[in-house]
Amino acid sequence: MTAQDAAAAEATECIETDVVIIGAGPVGLFAVFELGLLDLKAHVIDILGKPGGQCSELYPEKPIYDVPALPVVTGQELTDRLMEQIRPFNAQFHFGERVDGLARQPDGRFLLTTDAGTRFLTKVVVIAAGGGSFTPKRPPLEGIEAYEGTSVFYAVRRMEAFRGKNVLIVGGGDSALDWTLNLQPIAKSLTLLHRRDEFRGAPHSVEQMRALVAAEKIRLMIGQVTALHGGDGVLEAVTVKTKAGEERLPVEIMMPFFGLTMKLGPVAGWGLNLAENLIPVDTEKFETNEPGIFAIGDINSYPGKLKLILSGFHEAALMAQAAQKIVYPDKKVMFQYTTSSSSLQKKLGVK
Protein backbone atom coordinates (compact mmCIF):
# COMPACT_ATOMS: atom_id res chain seq x y z
CA MET A 1 0.00 0.00 0.00
CA THR A 2 1.39 3.39 -0.97
CA ALA A 3 1.56 6.29 1.45
CA GLN A 4 -1.28 7.93 -0.48
CA ASP A 5 -3.41 4.78 -0.20
CA ALA A 6 -2.65 4.54 3.52
CA ALA A 7 -3.71 8.14 4.02
CA ALA A 8 -6.91 7.52 2.11
CA ALA A 9 -7.68 4.43 4.18
CA GLU A 10 -6.99 6.37 7.33
CA ALA A 11 -9.36 9.13 6.26
CA THR A 12 -12.19 6.66 5.67
CA GLU A 13 -11.96 5.59 9.30
CA CYS A 14 -12.55 9.16 10.48
CA ILE A 15 -15.83 10.90 11.07
CA GLU A 16 -15.90 13.80 8.61
CA THR A 17 -17.90 16.86 9.58
CA ASP A 18 -17.99 20.62 9.13
CA VAL A 19 -17.42 21.48 12.78
CA VAL A 20 -16.35 19.72 15.96
CA ILE A 21 -17.43 21.37 19.19
CA ILE A 22 -15.48 20.46 22.31
CA GLY A 23 -17.80 20.92 25.26
CA ALA A 24 -21.55 20.33 25.63
CA GLY A 25 -22.33 23.08 28.12
CA PRO A 26 -24.94 25.77 27.36
CA VAL A 27 -22.58 27.74 25.11
CA GLY A 28 -21.51 24.66 23.16
CA LEU A 29 -25.15 23.64 22.73
CA PHE A 30 -26.19 27.08 21.48
CA ALA A 31 -23.27 26.96 19.03
CA VAL A 32 -24.98 23.92 17.45
CA PHE A 33 -28.05 26.12 16.86
CA GLU A 34 -26.16 29.04 15.32
CA LEU A 35 -24.10 26.72 13.11
CA GLY A 36 -27.19 24.80 12.07
CA LEU A 37 -28.90 27.94 10.83
CA LEU A 38 -25.96 28.30 8.45
CA ASP A 39 -26.13 24.67 7.25
CA LEU A 40 -23.03 23.62 9.19
CA LYS A 41 -23.12 20.11 10.63
CA ALA A 42 -21.57 19.60 14.06
CA HIS A 43 -20.32 16.78 16.23
CA VAL A 44 -20.06 17.54 19.96
CA ILE A 45 -17.56 15.91 22.32
CA ASP A 46 -17.75 16.10 26.11
CA ILE A 47 -15.88 14.29 28.85
CA LEU A 48 -19.07 14.18 30.95
CA GLY A 49 -21.74 11.57 30.38
CA LYS A 50 -24.54 13.97 29.47
CA PRO A 51 -25.10 17.46 28.05
CA GLY A 52 -25.14 20.62 30.14
CA GLY A 53 -21.57 20.95 31.38
CA GLN A 54 -21.26 22.59 34.78
CA CYS A 55 -24.94 23.58 34.69
CA SER A 56 -26.13 19.99 34.86
CA GLU A 57 -23.13 18.49 36.63
CA LEU A 58 -22.65 20.96 39.50
CA TYR A 59 -25.93 22.81 39.93
CA PRO A 60 -28.80 21.22 37.98
CA GLU A 61 -31.38 22.53 40.47
CA LYS A 62 -29.74 25.86 41.22
CA PRO A 63 -31.76 28.82 39.92
CA ILE A 64 -30.20 31.07 37.26
CA TYR A 65 -31.62 34.59 37.01
CA ASP A 66 -29.72 36.30 34.19
CA VAL A 67 -30.72 34.36 31.07
CA PRO A 68 -32.71 36.74 28.81
CA ALA A 69 -36.50 36.23 28.77
CA LEU A 70 -36.30 33.59 31.53
CA PRO A 71 -36.79 35.27 34.94
CA VAL A 72 -35.60 32.09 36.59
CA VAL A 73 -34.40 28.77 35.17
CA THR A 74 -32.42 25.92 36.69
CA GLY A 75 -29.26 24.59 35.14
CA GLN A 76 -31.02 21.40 34.08
CA GLU A 77 -34.04 23.25 32.66
CA LEU A 78 -31.76 25.47 30.60
CA THR A 79 -29.95 22.40 29.28
CA ASP A 80 -33.24 20.69 28.41
CA ARG A 81 -34.51 23.76 26.55
CA LEU A 82 -31.30 24.10 24.58
CA MET A 83 -31.42 20.42 23.62
CA GLU A 84 -34.98 20.95 22.40
CA GLN A 85 -33.94 24.04 20.45
CA ILE A 86 -31.12 22.28 18.58
CA ARG A 87 -33.08 19.09 17.84
CA PRO A 88 -33.78 20.08 14.18
CA PHE A 89 -30.04 20.07 13.40
CA ASN A 90 -29.35 16.47 14.43
CA ALA A 91 -26.00 17.14 16.07
CA GLN A 92 -24.09 13.99 16.97
CA PHE A 93 -22.90 13.73 20.57
CA HIS A 94 -19.91 11.79 21.89
CA PHE A 95 -20.18 11.71 25.68
CA GLY A 96 -17.61 10.32 28.06
CA GLU A 97 -14.76 11.13 25.70
CA ARG A 98 -11.83 13.53 26.03
CA VAL A 99 -10.08 15.08 23.05
CA ASP A 100 -6.43 14.11 23.41
CA GLY A 101 -5.01 15.06 20.03
CA LEU A 102 -5.46 17.85 17.51
CA ALA A 103 -3.33 18.26 14.39
CA ARG A 104 -3.73 20.19 11.17
CA GLN A 105 -3.66 18.04 8.06
CA PRO A 106 -2.05 18.86 4.67
CA ASP A 107 -5.47 19.76 3.22
CA GLY A 108 -6.04 22.35 5.97
CA ARG A 109 -8.52 20.31 7.99
CA PHE A 110 -7.99 19.20 11.56
CA LEU A 111 -7.63 15.64 12.79
CA LEU A 112 -8.98 15.18 16.30
CA THR A 113 -8.59 12.01 18.34
CA THR A 114 -10.24 11.13 21.65
CA ASP A 115 -9.18 8.86 24.48
CA ALA A 116 -11.83 6.40 23.24
CA GLY A 117 -10.15 6.15 19.85
CA THR A 118 -12.75 8.18 17.96
CA ARG A 119 -11.25 10.26 15.15
CA PHE A 120 -12.65 13.28 13.37
CA LEU A 121 -11.71 15.26 10.27
CA THR A 122 -13.15 18.75 10.38
CA LYS A 123 -12.63 22.18 8.89
CA VAL A 124 -13.50 24.04 12.09
CA VAL A 125 -12.85 23.34 15.76
CA VAL A 126 -14.80 25.17 18.47
CA ILE A 127 -13.51 24.93 22.03
CA ALA A 128 -16.43 25.53 24.38
CA ALA A 129 -15.01 23.64 27.34
CA GLY A 130 -15.85 26.14 30.07
CA GLY A 131 -12.81 26.43 32.30
CA GLY A 132 -11.47 23.10 31.12
CA SER A 133 -11.83 19.99 33.25
CA PHE A 134 -12.87 20.82 36.78
CA THR A 135 -12.55 19.03 40.10
CA PRO A 136 -13.77 20.27 43.50
CA LYS A 137 -11.12 21.20 46.03
CA ARG A 138 -11.14 18.54 48.76
CA PRO A 139 -10.80 19.61 52.42
CA PRO A 140 -7.65 18.23 54.07
CA LEU A 141 -9.56 15.91 56.42
CA GLU A 142 -8.43 12.40 57.23
CA GLY A 143 -10.74 9.74 55.81
CA ILE A 144 -12.99 12.11 53.87
CA GLU A 145 -12.79 9.95 50.75
CA ALA A 146 -14.83 7.22 52.46
CA TYR A 147 -17.79 9.58 52.84
CA GLU A 148 -17.74 11.15 49.38
CA GLY A 149 -20.87 10.43 47.38
CA THR A 150 -22.83 9.17 50.41
CA SER A 151 -22.49 11.84 53.10
CA VAL A 152 -20.03 14.35 51.67
CA PHE A 153 -21.05 16.15 48.49
CA TYR A 154 -19.36 18.84 46.40
CA ALA A 155 -22.44 19.58 44.28
CA VAL A 156 -26.22 19.39 44.55
CA ARG A 157 -27.70 17.20 41.85
CA ARG A 158 -31.04 16.49 43.55
CA MET A 159 -32.29 18.70 46.36
CA GLU A 160 -34.72 16.06 47.65
CA ALA A 161 -31.76 13.96 48.76
CA PHE A 162 -31.16 16.53 51.52
CA ARG A 163 -34.75 16.77 52.80
CA GLY A 164 -35.04 16.13 56.54
CA LYS A 165 -31.26 15.87 57.02
CA ASN A 166 -28.86 17.61 59.38
CA VAL A 167 -26.78 19.54 56.86
CA LEU A 168 -23.43 21.28 57.28
CA ILE A 169 -22.29 23.66 54.55
CA VAL A 170 -18.68 24.79 54.68
CA GLY A 171 -17.45 27.85 52.79
CA GLY A 172 -17.92 31.58 52.33
CA GLY A 173 -18.49 32.08 48.62
CA ASP A 174 -21.53 32.22 46.38
CA SER A 175 -22.01 28.44 46.19
CA ALA A 176 -22.01 28.05 49.98
CA LEU A 177 -24.43 30.94 50.44
CA ASP A 178 -26.72 29.94 47.57
CA TRP A 179 -27.14 26.41 48.83
CA THR A 180 -27.59 27.62 52.39
CA LEU A 181 -30.56 29.67 51.21
CA ASN A 182 -31.96 26.98 48.91
CA LEU A 183 -31.64 24.02 51.28
CA GLN A 184 -32.74 25.72 54.48
CA PRO A 185 -36.47 25.20 53.81
CA ILE A 186 -36.10 21.42 53.37
CA ALA A 187 -33.27 20.48 55.74
CA LYS A 188 -34.00 19.29 59.28
CA SER A 189 -31.22 21.58 60.45
CA LEU A 190 -28.64 23.60 58.57
CA THR A 191 -25.34 24.98 59.80
CA LEU A 192 -23.10 27.29 57.77
CA LEU A 193 -19.45 27.12 58.78
CA HIS A 194 -16.78 29.56 57.64
CA ARG A 195 -13.33 30.27 58.96
CA ARG A 196 -14.10 33.98 59.43
CA ASP A 197 -17.17 36.19 59.74
CA GLU A 198 -16.67 37.72 56.31
CA PHE A 199 -18.11 36.35 53.08
CA ARG A 200 -17.09 36.57 49.44
CA GLY A 201 -20.60 36.00 48.11
CA ALA A 202 -23.13 38.49 46.77
CA PRO A 203 -24.09 41.08 49.41
CA HIS A 204 -27.80 40.31 49.00
CA SER A 205 -27.14 36.62 49.70
CA VAL A 206 -25.13 37.54 52.79
CA GLU A 207 -28.04 39.69 54.02
CA GLN A 208 -30.52 36.85 53.49
CA MET A 209 -28.24 34.41 55.29
CA ARG A 210 -27.83 36.70 58.29
CA ALA A 211 -31.60 37.23 58.44
CA LEU A 212 -32.07 33.45 58.69
CA VAL A 213 -29.45 33.32 61.44
CA ALA A 214 -31.23 36.11 63.36
CA ALA A 215 -34.52 34.21 62.99
CA GLU A 216 -32.77 31.08 64.33
CA LYS A 217 -33.64 29.14 61.17
CA ILE A 218 -29.98 28.32 60.51
CA ARG A 219 -26.83 28.36 62.59
CA LEU A 220 -23.68 30.26 61.63
CA MET A 221 -20.41 29.02 63.08
CA ILE A 222 -16.98 30.63 62.70
CA GLY A 223 -14.26 28.00 62.69
CA GLN A 224 -13.23 24.89 60.79
CA VAL A 225 -13.86 21.17 60.67
CA THR A 226 -11.03 19.15 62.17
CA ALA A 227 -12.44 15.60 62.21
CA LEU A 228 -15.21 13.42 60.77
CA HIS A 229 -17.09 10.77 62.76
CA GLY A 230 -19.06 7.84 61.40
CA GLY A 231 -18.52 4.61 59.52
CA ASP A 232 -19.27 2.73 56.31
CA GLY A 233 -19.66 5.99 54.42
CA VAL A 234 -22.31 7.27 56.82
CA LEU A 235 -21.43 10.53 58.54
CA GLU A 236 -22.76 11.00 62.07
CA ALA A 237 -20.93 14.07 63.36
CA VAL A 238 -17.98 16.39 62.83
CA THR A 239 -15.63 18.12 65.21
CA VAL A 240 -15.60 21.89 64.72
CA LYS A 241 -12.82 24.01 66.19
CA THR A 242 -13.80 27.58 67.09
CA LYS A 243 -12.26 30.29 69.25
CA ALA A 244 -14.31 28.97 72.16
CA GLY A 245 -12.90 25.47 71.78
CA GLU A 246 -14.02 22.25 70.09
CA GLU A 247 -17.62 21.16 69.53
CA ARG A 248 -19.01 17.87 68.25
CA LEU A 249 -21.76 18.76 65.79
CA PRO A 250 -24.34 16.13 64.71
CA VAL A 251 -24.20 16.03 60.90
CA GLU A 252 -25.60 13.65 58.27
CA ILE A 253 -24.59 15.64 55.21
CA MET A 254 -21.50 17.82 54.76
CA MET A 255 -21.04 20.02 51.72
CA PRO A 256 -17.61 21.68 51.39
CA PHE A 257 -17.54 24.55 48.87
CA PHE A 258 -13.86 25.44 48.63
CA GLY A 259 -13.95 26.17 44.91
CA LEU A 260 -12.88 24.22 41.85
CA THR A 261 -9.49 23.36 40.47
CA MET A 262 -9.58 24.12 36.75
CA LYS A 263 -7.22 22.34 34.37
CA LEU A 264 -7.02 22.83 30.63
CA GLY A 265 -5.79 19.29 30.20
CA PRO A 266 -4.71 18.32 26.65
CA VAL A 267 -5.83 21.72 25.30
CA ALA A 268 -2.67 23.19 26.78
CA GLY A 269 -0.56 21.17 24.33
CA TRP A 270 -2.33 22.20 21.11
CA GLY A 271 -0.08 25.14 20.26
CA LEU A 272 -2.63 27.81 21.19
CA ASN A 273 -1.63 31.01 22.89
CA LEU A 274 -2.58 30.82 26.56
CA ALA A 275 -2.98 33.49 29.23
CA GLU A 276 -3.48 32.25 32.79
CA ASN A 277 -5.03 29.00 31.56
CA LEU A 278 -7.42 30.86 29.26
CA ILE A 279 -7.35 31.12 25.47
CA PRO A 280 -7.05 34.66 24.05
CA VAL A 281 -9.33 35.34 21.08
CA ASP A 282 -10.27 38.28 18.89
CA THR A 283 -13.64 39.92 19.43
CA GLU A 284 -14.75 39.85 15.80
CA LYS A 285 -14.84 36.08 15.33
CA PHE A 286 -13.61 34.68 18.69
CA GLU A 287 -10.88 32.90 16.78
CA THR A 288 -7.64 31.82 18.45
CA ASN A 289 -4.14 32.41 17.10
CA GLU A 290 -4.68 29.24 15.05
CA PRO A 291 -6.97 29.92 12.04
CA GLY A 292 -10.02 27.66 12.10
CA ILE A 293 -9.90 27.07 15.86
CA PHE A 294 -12.34 29.15 17.89
CA ALA A 295 -12.87 29.45 21.65
CA ILE A 296 -16.18 30.56 23.14
CA GLY A 297 -17.55 30.73 26.67
CA ASP A 298 -15.61 30.78 29.93
CA ILE A 299 -12.48 29.27 28.42
CA ASN A 300 -11.66 32.33 26.30
CA SER A 301 -10.14 35.67 27.20
CA TYR A 302 -10.36 39.16 25.70
CA PRO A 303 -10.56 42.75 27.00
CA GLY A 304 -13.85 43.30 28.80
CA LYS A 305 -14.71 39.59 28.99
CA LEU A 306 -17.68 38.74 31.22
CA LYS A 307 -18.07 35.11 32.27
CA LEU A 308 -21.80 34.98 31.68
CA ILE A 309 -23.87 32.45 29.74
CA LEU A 310 -25.44 35.24 27.70
CA SER A 311 -21.97 36.48 26.70
CA GLY A 312 -21.14 32.99 25.47
CA PHE A 313 -24.32 32.95 23.38
CA HIS A 314 -23.20 36.18 21.68
CA GLU A 315 -19.77 34.69 21.03
CA ALA A 316 -21.33 31.58 19.50
CA ALA A 317 -23.35 33.66 17.04
CA LEU A 318 -20.34 35.58 15.73
CA MET A 319 -18.19 32.45 15.66
CA ALA A 320 -20.76 30.69 13.45
CA GLN A 321 -20.67 33.49 10.87
CA ALA A 322 -16.89 33.17 10.63
CA ALA A 323 -17.04 29.36 10.54
CA GLN A 324 -19.37 29.45 7.53
CA LYS A 325 -16.76 31.40 5.55
CA ILE A 326 -14.24 28.65 6.27
CA VAL A 327 -16.52 25.74 5.40
CA TYR A 328 -18.14 27.46 2.40
CA PRO A 329 -15.55 30.02 1.24
CA ASP A 330 -17.28 30.62 -2.11
CA LYS A 331 -20.80 30.87 -0.75
CA LYS A 332 -22.36 34.30 -0.67
CA VAL A 333 -23.67 34.95 2.81
CA MET A 334 -26.90 36.87 3.27
CA PHE A 335 -27.80 37.63 6.86
CA GLN A 336 -31.32 36.51 7.74
CA TYR A 337 -33.64 36.75 10.74
CA THR A 338 -35.50 33.71 12.05
CA THR A 339 -38.61 35.87 12.50
CA SER A 340 -38.91 36.66 8.79
CA SER A 341 -36.87 34.08 6.85
CA SER A 342 -38.98 31.22 5.52
CA SER A 343 -35.84 29.21 4.76
CA LEU A 344 -34.61 29.46 8.36
CA GLN A 345 -38.06 28.63 9.68
CA LYS A 346 -38.13 25.58 7.45
CA LYS A 347 -34.84 24.41 8.96
CA LEU A 348 -36.37 24.85 12.41
CA GLY A 349 -39.46 22.89 11.49
CA VAL A 350 -41.77 25.89 11.90
CA LYS A 351 -45.21 25.18 10.42
Side-chain angles (χ1 to χ4, degrees):
M1 181 181 292
T2 66
Q4 186 175 359
D5 290 337
E10 183 177 279
T12 61
E13 298 172 2
C14 292
I15 297 171
E16 297 193 32
T17 185
D18 297 327
V19 182
V20 168
I21 300 171
I22 303 170
V27 174
L29 295 179
F30 190 67
V32 171
F33 179 82
E34 290 294 326
L35 292 164
L37 291 177
L38 299 173
D39 296 319
L40 302 182
K41 302 299 182 182
H43 281 251
V44 185
I45 306 169
D46 200 293
I47 194 170
L48 299 177
K50 58 184 178 181
Q54 294 186 36
C55 273
S56 61
E57 182 70 9
L58 295 184
Y59 45 91
E61 296 191 12
K62 181 178 178 180
I64 303 170
Y65 299 101
D66 59 357
V67 175
L70 299 175
V72 58
V73 64
T74 67
Q76 189 59 54
E77 288 170 344
L78 179 60
T79 299
D80 293 342
R81 292 189 181 203
L82 285 164
M83 290 297 288
E84 181 181 357
Q85 186 178 34
I86 68 175
R87 187 176 295 118
F89 302 116
N90 298 314
Q92 301 299 305
F93 289 88
H94 306 266
F95 294 121
E97 297 189 38
R98 182 189 66 227
V99 177
D100 280 344
L102 185 153
R104 190 182 290 275
Q105 302 303 288
D107 64 0
R109 292 184 294 176
F110 296 97
L111 175 65
L112 284 81
T113 56
T114 75
D115 59 346
T118 313
R119 301 163 69 247
F120 303 84
L121 273 175
T122 182
K123 293 182 178 180
V124 172
V125 176
V126 179
I127 303 172
S133 60
F134 51 92
T135 56
K137 293 180 180 177
R138 174 184 288 155
L141 293 170
E142 184 178 352
I144 191 172
E145 296 88 346
Y147 298 101
E148 292 175 341
T150 54
S151 296
V152 174
F153 300 90
Y154 301 100
V156 178
R157 292 180 174 83
R158 195 172 65 87
M159 288 177 60
E160 279 299 311
F162 303 95
R163 183 175 293 278
K165 303 290 188 180
N166 295 312
V167 178
L168 171 66
I169 294 178
V170 187
D174 283 317
S175 294
L177 290 167
D178 288 347
W179 286 118
T180 294
L181 301 177
N182 284 310
L183 293 176
Q184 180 274 322
I186 67 172
K188 179 180 180 181
S189 71
L190 193 146
T191 301
L192 175 62
L193 174 67
H194 190 38
R195 64 183 182 277
R196 61 178 185 273
D197 197 14
E198 298 175 2
F199 295 86
R200 304 183 308 279
H204 180 63
S205 298
V206 176
E207 291 175 10
Q208 288 182 293
M209 178 272 292
R210 293 198 185 279
L212 290 173
V213 173
E216 298 184 348
K217 293 185 176 180
I218 66 171
R219 182 183 182 187
L220 173 63
M221 297 183 71
I222 308 303
Q224 59 185 9
V225 178
T226 57
L228 306 177
H229 308 285
D232 297 324
V234 179
L235 193 61
E236 298 174 357
V238 301
T239 297
V240 177
K241 183 178 181 181
T242 68
K243 288 184 178 180
E246 289 190 341
E247 178 179 339
R248 188 182 175 105
L249 181 69
V251 169
E252 296 170 274
I253 300 290
M254 185 174 82
M255 303 178 64
F257 290 110
F258 293 173
L260 299 173
T261 299
M262 297 292 188
K263 297 181 180 180
L264 280 182
V267 176
W270 292 350
L272 303 176
N273 289 339
L274 299 176
E276 297 181 355
N277 275 345
L278 298 174
I279 304 174
V281 294
D282 63 55
T283 52
E284 177 188 1
K285 306 182 294 291
F286 300 96
E287 194 171 29
T288 69
N289 62 295
E290 187 69 36
I293 301 181
F294 300 81
I296 58 177
D298 287 356
I299 201 166
N300 73 13
S301 173
Y302 55 86
K305 167 72 178 185
L306 291 177
K307 290 192 174 185
L308 297 173
I309 293 173
L310 64 91
S311 299
F313 289 169
H314 159 77
E315 296 163 11
L318 292 186
M319 173 280 298
Q321 297 292 319
Q324 187 190 46
K325 295 177 182 178
I326 295 174
V327 177
Y328 300 118
D330 300 323
K331 186 175 182 179
K332 185 176 181 180
V333 179
M334 182 178 68
F335 185 75
Q336 303 178 76
Y337 296 98
T338 56
T339 53
S340 57
S341 170
S342 59
S343 64
L344 292 184
Q345 291 175 8
K346 184 177 180 181
K347 294 174 187 177
L348 296 172
V350 176
K351 297 182 181 178

